[in-house]
Amino acid sequence: MMQVVGVTNQQEVYVVSKERKFRINEILILEDPILSDPKGEVVETASYNRLLPMGYEKSVVDASILQTLRTIGYDIESDEVNIAKVRLFEEAAHPVITGCSVRLPEFEEVRHLLIKADPNESMVVGEVRGTDSIAKTMSEDLHHKLKVLEQGELREQNGIPFLFDVRSMHQYPHVGVFGGSGSGKSFGLRVMMEELMNLQIPTIVFDPHFEMEFSTVTPGLEEIAPDYSDRFLTVQIGKEVGISFTDLSTRDIISLLHAAGGQLTSSMESAVEALHKTRDTFISFSDRIRNLMEAAEAKNLDKQLQEADTPTEVERISALQKLLKKYPSVHASSLRGIDWRLRRLERSGIFTRDIKEIERGIEQRKLVSVQGSSWLLQVFATYVTGALYRKRRDYRDARMNGEEGQFFPPFVIVMDEAHNFAPKGVDSPAKSVLKEIAQEGRKYGVFLFLATQRPTLLDETITAQLNSKFVFRTVRGTDIQTLREETDLTEDEGKRLPYLRSGDTFVSSAAFGRTVFIRVRAAYTTSPHTMNPFDELMQASRQKEEGFLQALTPLLPLFDTDLVQAISSINRELGVSWEVTRLRQELEQAAKAGKIRKHVTPFQTRYDRV
């Protein structure tokens, strides 16, 4: 039996039971007929028993509740009493009746609180915590939707699946994924990417960790894991994709130079505006910069022209003089800054390709994972997000004007370490286009999934536009405070954030109207970086040892006087460049490990098979 005790109000009540322990986040129905049986969620639990001191007045167990328990017949000196603080989903018109019965709901009674979308058209992200008892009566279409990884073991679904309605993003756009190192943030982001692929929603992912690859199936899920081989595409900047320089506007070039080496001075921006010509190639633009820099730094060009020995030299110096006359206000220091940034971009290979591969993947409703170093991704993201967003916006604007237009699909942009792309309080090229998408993208069907370990460092304007937030374990007080301000997390839930298990997350979503506590489902695929680094170390050591013994065995018995002749064979077999000293060290280690036998005589040392 469960019943309401203590002082009640319109938002919270206390429920007590001797028979069962309460589970955090489980849903209860308070049988108050005047309020039409309001529903609430357990937000805090405690057990009171005779081993606790009588003066205990902390948390949900205080003196008034203990007095109420005595009044209604509980023997608190001998019985164990389970108490829960229950927060109502909707504020009641007046306080709940003290003493009314409390029961567990049937699934259909709370379906509207837990299921907001069609299971076949939604992202199955995880399992709602505290719904095990309700799941027994849920409809058949919600069974067997996922598996959960707990304590390193896969288990079947026990609770209600958490369904994220992608279609609701048209009204409540953009998603934030927050959590510290080891919280399960990247794991949760992988699950979301899998679900976007399941729904064939075009997606572009900027992957600085080279881990958003979906070919390796999680052990134990081989029978149920979808085949993603034709649903994603992995490209690297400078190899498969890049930027077509001739398609860049002057503004684009300024943004790229900013991303490549920091904020440009006003004189540097003026120089780019003056020197860039429509349809310039990288070579023509960079040559113009370097020639003008040479002219600006040259001393006494008139004298050099007089002393020129060949027609070619005369022509070159004359061209430099013309450049100086054409651009008299451009300073050499500005040109040096521009030239350094251009050379850095050139070395990255970013101008050797274009983004057609990405556009093709988006049009084919695939997930495109763009990989590269952090700074290069910031440069590339500045261009490609703007280019794709403009294509989608131009199509929608054309349709609004009654024109046909070239169809370009709605798509999702995913960024890990998002605070590097849109930092708070610091100007960055990518931030301007991301802010525009955060504020206007909903109208055009372009949405953001932004993940970061440091929500405090993410631009506030963008954070405020993230209508759904997945909050994993977070330890820093400043980050917890930021998340409290940006979500409807209660003070009690904020206190739980530093202690959440990896993979558990609070979901604060405008589409749900409340915070839901879930465990992210087991991902169907694994990251290429899942091997423990110490296991990797041991594996590499074994492979090296085996390779060395395999190359050494044909040479045994080996005398220390023959090491000079043996080293060339060893180096050739192993593909290394060892010296005799290194070979002797390896032989000593193999002998100590018992892999070979070492014989020492007054005249020489011999190494032989065991």
Side-chain angles (χ1 to χ4, degrees):
M1 177 181 175
M2 297 181 288
Q3 61 186 128
V4 174
V5 297
V7 178
T8 67
N9 58 42
Q10 293 99 316
Q11 294 89 26
E12 294 178 345
V13 300
Y14 297 98
V15 177
V16 64
S17 172
K18 282 193 295 186
E19 289 78 21
R20 73 183 297 270
K21 292 185 181 296
F22 295 98
R23 299 189 62 179
I24 197 77
N25 296 112
E26 71 178 342
I27 298 174
L28 300 175
I29 293 182
L30 314 178
E31 295 187 312
D32 183 341
I34 300 176
L35 293 175
S36 303
D37 296 349
K39 303 171 184 64
E41 181 180 25
V42 175
V43 295
E44 190 176 348
T45 67
S47 291
Y48 185 91
N49 57 58
R50 59 191 176 85
L51 299 178
L52 291 175
M54 290 303 297
Y56 183 74
E57 294 184 359
K58 185 180 178 183
S59 187
V60 296
V61 186
D62 59 23
S64 64
I65 295 176
L66 292 178
Q67 183 58 45
T68 304
L69 293 175
R70 290 191 182 96
T71 302
I72 62 178
Y74 280 84
D75 183 1
I76 59 175
E77 278 73 28
S78 59
D79 295 338
E80 179 180 75
V81 182
N82 302 300
I83 300 176
K85 180 195 287 188
V86 177
R87 185 176 63 220
L88 302 184
F89 289 126
E90 296 181 3
E91 186 178 68
H94 55 75
V96 177
I97 297 174
T98 298
C100 72
S101 298
V102 179
R103 63 177 175 84
L104 293 170
E106 294 290 317
F107 172 70
E108 289 302 325
E109 294 179 289
V110 293
R111 182 184 182 109
H112 67 287
L113 295 172
L114 297 169
I115 304 298
K116 301 287 186 179
D118 184 336
N120 297 316
E121 297 181 358
S122 305
M123 294 169 58
V124 183
V125 179
E127 179 183 83
V128 182
R129 285 294 201 184
T131 58
D132 300 27
S133 57
I134 308 173
K136 298 172 184 176
T137 59
M138 70 180 174
S139 54
E140 194 61 36
D141 62 334
L142 298 174
H143 285 278
H144 310 298
K145 302 296 289 185
L146 56 101
K147 288 195 176 185
V148 177
L149 186 65
E150 272 189 312
Q151 308 297 332
E153 298 291 332
L154 283 170
R155 67 163 174 82
E156 296 294 333
Q157 171 188 340
N158 291 335
I160 309 297
F162 177 77
L163 306 177
F164 184 78
D165 186 8
V166 178
R167 300 176 67 86
S168 71
M169 290 181 67
H170 182 62
Q171 186 176 2
Y172 305 109
H174 315 309
V175 174
V177 184
F178 307 118
S181 179
S183 66
K185 171 183 65 70
S186 296
F187 185 84
L189 193 62
R190 170 173 290 273
V191 167
M192 295 176 199
M193 299 307 95
E194 290 178 353
E195 290 299 320
L196 288 172
M197 286 189 287
N198 288 340
L199 297 172
Q200 291 188 283
I201 295 174
T203 304
I204 179 170
V205 183
F206 295 96
D207 177 20
H209 303 304
F210 293 78
E211 63 182 8
M212 285 302 168
E213 203 272 346
F214 304 91
S215 299
T216 307
V217 177
T218 301
L221 296 180
E222 292 85 357
E223 294 184 4
I224 64 172
D227 181 7
Y228 293 119
S229 58
D230 61 345
R231 299 189 188 182
F232 83 97
L233 175 67
T234 301
V235 294
Q236 285 193 28
I237 303 170
K239 291 185 178 180
E240 293 85 7
V241 295
I243 297 173
S244 176
F245 194 89
T246 55
D247 294 338
L248 295 176
S249 67
T250 303
R251 207 69 241 165
D252 290 334
I253 292 176
I254 290 173
S255 294
L256 289 176
L257 293 174
H258 178 180
Q263 182 71 47
L264 273 68
T265 64
S266 57
S267 60
M268 290 167 67
E269 288 192 17
S270 299
V272 174
E273 290 168 352
L275 292 167
H276 179 245
K277 309 298 181 186
T278 304
R279 306 303 294 175
D280 251 344
T281 65
F282 175 78
I283 293 175
S284 64
F285 179 67
S286 60
D287 282 352
R288 193 174 301 123
I289 294 289
R290 290 166 192 171
N291 289 337
L292 183 56
M293 183 170 62
E294 181 185 350
E297 292 177 340
K299 295 180 180 179
N300 203 336
L301 285 176
D302 290 334
K303 183 178 180 181
Q304 289 185 34
L305 185 63
Q306 293 173 2
E307 296 175 352
D309 296 330
T310 64
T312 303
E313 187 68 10
V314 171
E315 184 179 352
R316 186 185 68 81
I317 297 173
S318 298
L320 294 179
Q321 288 180 319
K322 289 179 182 178
L323 277 174
L324 275 180
K325 289 179 181 178
K326 189 172 183 180
Y327 305 106
S329 60
V330 177
H331 301 293
S333 58
S334 299
L335 294 171
R336 281 195 296 272
I338 295 170
D339 183 60
W340 176 83
R341 288 167 171 80
L342 283 173
R343 288 179 184 275
R344 189 181 191 200
L345 290 170
E346 182 183 25
R347 287 193 298 270
S348 73
I350 198 171
F351 295 127
T352 60
R353 297 287 184 272
D354 54 32
I355 64 169
K356 285 185 170 36
E357 196 76 12
I358 295 175
E359 292 176 344
R360 188 158 41 247
I362 297 294
E363 290 168 351
Q364 293 173 343
R365 301 179 65 175
K366 292 183 178 182
L367 181 146
V368 183
S369 179
V370 182
Q371 298 178 338
S373 62
S374 182
W375 79 269
L376 194 55
L377 278 176
Q378 292 177 52
V379 172
F380 190 69
T382 301
Y383 171 74
V384 76
T385 52
L388 297 179
Y389 177 59
R390 284 193 296 270
K391 288 197 73 167
R392 174 63 185 172
R393 187 181 61 191
D394 291 347
Y395 166 72
R396 291 291 296 173
D397 287 345
R399 291 297 302 271
M400 290 294 292
N401 294 328
E403 303 170 10
E404 195 63 31
Q406 179 66 40
F407 175 73
F408 193 76
F411 63 95
V412 171
I413 298 170
V414 181
M415 289 181 170
D416 200 359
E417 307 297 345
H419 61 275
N420 290 329
F421 296 90
K424 176 181 176 181
V426 180
D427 191 23
S428 73
K431 183 161 75 172
S432 58
V433 67
L434 289 176
K435 286 176 71 171
E436 182 180 350
I437 293 172
Q439 295 172 313
E440 305 289 337
R442 178 183 68 85
K443 295 187 295 187
Y444 300 107
V446 179
F447 305 101
L448 300 172
F449 277 59
L450 303 181
T452 177
Q453 294 186 28
R454 297 300 316 280
T456 302
L457 302 183
L458 186 62
D459 180 76
E460 291 178 339
T461 302
I462 293 174
T463 304
Q465 299 297 325
L466 303 175
N467 281 263
S468 297
K469 298 180 177 72
F470 290 75
V471 184
F472 291 81
R473 183 175 66 243
T474 304
V475 177
R476 282 180 176 267
T478 53
D479 290 334
I480 293 175
Q481 183 60 35
T482 298
L483 292 169
R484 286 284 314 281
E485 293 171 357
E486 296 291 343
T487 66
D488 59 350
L489 286 173
T490 65
E491 184 178 354
D492 292 332
E493 289 166 339
K495 290 177 181 177
R496 291 170 59 190
L497 281 179
Y499 308 105
L500 294 184
R501 292 191 302 169
S502 179
D504 285 352
T505 179
F506 289 106
V507 184
S508 176
S509 174
F512 267 76
R514 66 186 184 91
T515 295
V516 183
F517 187 49
I518 73 169
R519 179 159 189 81
V520 174
R521 69 161 173 81
Y524 296 124
T525 61
T526 61
S527 165
H529 308 309
T530 52
M531 178 180 285
N532 187 298
F534 298 104
D535 292 336
E536 180 186 0
L537 175 64
M538 296 300 295
Q539 179 178 313
S541 296
R542 284 194 299 269
Q543 290 176 346
K544 188 199 81 170
E545 182 182 272
E546 291 170 1
F548 174 62
L549 291 174
Q550 188 174 355
L552 178 66
T553 300
L555 303 177
L556 297 176
L558 181 64
F559 295 90
D560 59 355
T561 54
D562 299 328
L563 296 186
V564 174
Q565 291 81 6
I567 193 69
S568 59
S569 175
I570 296 289
N571 284 342
R572 184 173 59 255
E573 290 293 323
L574 298 182
V576 295
S577 55
W578 290 354
E579 297 176 349
V580 172
T581 302
R582 173 66 184 273
L583 176 57
R584 184 174 282 109
Q585 291 171 347
E586 295 292 334
L587 290 168
E588 291 295 321
Q589 289 181 9
K592 287 180 181 178
K595 302 297 182 181
I596 59 176
R597 183 177 290 121
K598 177 183 177 182
H599 301 277
V600 181
T601 70
F603 305 103
Q604 60 185 354
T605 300
R606 186 178 81 249
Y607 299 94
D608 209 341
R609 292 181 176 87
V610 176

